[in-house]
Amino acid sequence: MAEERLQSRRDERTAFFLLAVVLAPALSVALVGAYGFFIWMSQILTGPPAG
């Protein structure tokens, strides 16, 4: 029983670090990159913003 709880806690800590250290930064970089790509492509198609 105590060993199952320890394994569960270890699994939860591993999942947290995977999400916090790997997935969240990678997702942030991907979203910013996708937004930049969208702006770049829209300016290629429609021209630069008038100003």
Side-chain angles (χ1 to χ4, degrees), residues 8-45:
S8 174
R9 183 173 286 189
R10 187 176 298 131
D11 290 344
E12 188 173 343
R13 189 177 301 135
T14 302
F16 170 75
F17 281 120
L18 178 67
L19 290 172
V21 176
V22 177
L23 194 60
L27 189 59
S28 297
V29 169
L31 287 174
V32 170
Y35 178 70
F37 182 77
F38 172 74
I39 297 297
W40 178 58
M41 287 304 292
S42 68
Q43 287 184 0
I44 286 176
L45 296 174

